[in-house]
Amino acid sequence: MTLTIGVDVGGTKIAAGVVNEDGEILAISRKPTPARDAAKSVQTVIDVVNTLKDSYDVSAVGIGAPGFIDNARSSIILAPNVSWQNEPLAMKVAQAVSLPVFLENDANAAAWGEYRFGAAKGRSSAITVTVGTGIGGGVIIEGNLLRGSYGFAAEIGHMNMVPEGLLCGCGENGCWEMYASGNALVRVARERATKSPKLASRMLELCEGKIDQLNGYMVTQAANDGDPAARTCFQDLGRWLGQGIADLAAIFDPEVFVLSGGVSEAGDLLLGPVRNEFEMRLTARTLRPLPSIVLAKLGNYAGLIGAANLALQ
Ligand SMILES: [Zn+2]
């Protein structure tokens, strides 16, 4: 069986794994990301690959990296979290490890992993919506990963949902991720805890009264414990997500949506409101089969496995 190495470049750590054709990870190597030093980040990718390459006979390397990737899948145009700008990553790694290297956007790689081996396995068309600090996505239609003419496709977190809405890190106003991401959940939870403390007693208990320390895990915990304000936050978040997913369904008509990322760990707390809103908003909903909305299965390894499998091709 052919083996490849998949690399997942994150803002805090770089993980690489030897993966077989069935999407099984045979070995893993990890190192912290020297995120402020572009050259050292490249070297860390090389180091984690070399660590594994010494022990396994691998045929190629796939890298899932954050940011914008050129259409040739060889250079990073911009990845602010890792200080990369016009970085010819694939070429540098290929020269250093003497293997073919394939580069892909990390959200696309994760979507591909879920499509081949995870929650969307066996489906023809699937969209992964990654709800973390922001919103990322990957669109696979009839077996093809959508990259776009210039390599910029599926930046779904920056769909404009609210004209003149909240200012996003991308410089525009009203992007979807300003309302439906983990950061949005925490922002709204802090507002609710400040304005309606009686309804947020469990959240306040978990953050020991320090509202600026309230995080997504605490909001999820409080909602699971029945905190009314925290539950309302998930209903709000679910509504925003359901609306955006209905828009994506109107455009792409996939069989399944896969929800992944840290916020998806809230499970039914999130899925219920998302499905409700989605079913109310989907265009032509009385005439058509409804796509399913499911939780991701591969967790943090989706990107690594997806990148490895893309390199196989
Ligand atoms: Zn934006």
Side-chain angles (χ1 to χ4, degrees):
M1 192 181 274
T2 309
L3 302 179
T4 51
I5 291 176
V7 184
D8 183 23
V9 179
T12 55
K13 67 176 187 311
I14 295 175
V18 177
V19 180
N20 68 20
E21 291 170 36
D22 293 331
E24 293 160 344
I25 300 173
L26 308 183
I28 286 221
S29 166
R30 278 191 199 90
K31 281 194 161 195
T33 310
R36 292 191 180 165
D37 188 322
K40 276 190 190 156
S41 293
V42 174
Q43 188 57 47
T44 303
V45 172
I46 293 165
D47 290 346
V48 290
V49 170
N50 274 333
T51 303
L52 297 170
K53 197 185 132 216
D54 290 344
S55 313
Y56 291 87
D57 184 18
V58 296
S59 61
V61 177
I63 302 173
F68 295 110
I69 308 230
D70 71 344
N71 201 25
R73 277 15 214 175
S74 63
S75 291
I76 312 251
I77 295 166
L78 182 66
N81 294 344
V82 201
S83 308
W84 283 335
Q85 195 166 357
N86 295 321
E87 181 66 57
L89 183 67
M91 185 194 73
K92 284 187 182 170
V93 177
Q95 279 173 356
V97 305
S98 306
L99 285 169
V101 172
F102 178 82
L103 182 62
E104 184 53 77
N105 168 271
D106 56 352
N108 282 352
W112 187 257
E114 291 290 345
Y115 176 73
R116 285 302 313 276
F117 306 110
K121 187 179 174 184
R123 308 296 189 101
S124 164
S125 300
I127 296 181
T128 293
V129 179
T130 304
V131 188
T133 52
I135 293 182
V139 176
I140 293 144
I141 299 298
E142 292 162 6
N144 296 305
L145 180 59
L146 182 74
R147 298 191 170 99
S149 300
Y150 306 104
F152 286 63
E155 288 293 340
I156 59 176
H158 302 284
M159 292 195 293
N160 185 282
M161 295 291 279
V162 182
E164 310 306 322
L166 293 166
L167 181 63
C168 177
C170 74
E172 300 298 325
N173 288 82
C175 294
W176 192 24
E177 71 175 32
M178 294 311 296
Y179 300 89
S181 63
N183 279 358
L185 177 75
V186 171
R187 186 189 70 237
V188 173
R190 287 176 182 174
E191 277 173 23
R192 286 188 179 277
T194 304
K195 288 183 182 161
S196 317
K198 283 190 180 152
L199 295 172
S201 56
R202 182 65 180 135
M203 283 201 285
L204 287 164
E205 195 181 351
L206 287 166
C207 71
E208 298 174 339
K210 295 172 193 149
I211 290 176
D212 61 338
Q213 313 262 311
L214 187 66
N215 63 35
Y217 295 103
M218 294 172 190
V219 182
T220 306
Q221 170 82 52
N224 277 322
D225 294 344
D227 183 286
R231 295 190 83 91
T232 306
C233 291
F234 272 99
Q235 277 158 11
D236 289 349
L237 189 80
R239 275 202 292 273
W240 283 111
L241 277 173
Q243 170 72 68
I245 290 172
D247 291 350
L248 291 169
I251 301 167
F252 295 109
D253 190 21
E255 279 179 88
V256 60
F257 285 92
V258 178
L259 282 184
S260 70
V263 178
S264 70
E265 286 165 22
D268 289 339
L269 208 54
L270 184 66
L271 267 185
V274 171
R275 285 178 176 146
N276 283 343
E277 187 71 12
F278 173 72
E279 288 174 19
M280 280 195 293
R281 298 291 174 186
L282 181 61
T283 190
R285 57 195 167 277
T286 57
L287 306 173
R288 50 164 297 158
L290 287 183
S292 48
I293 303 176
V294 300
L295 296 174
K297 279 193 179 159
L298 302 182
N300 290 333
Y301 294 117
L304 190 157
I305 293 170
N309 188 259
L310 285 165
L312 198 59
Q313 304 176 357

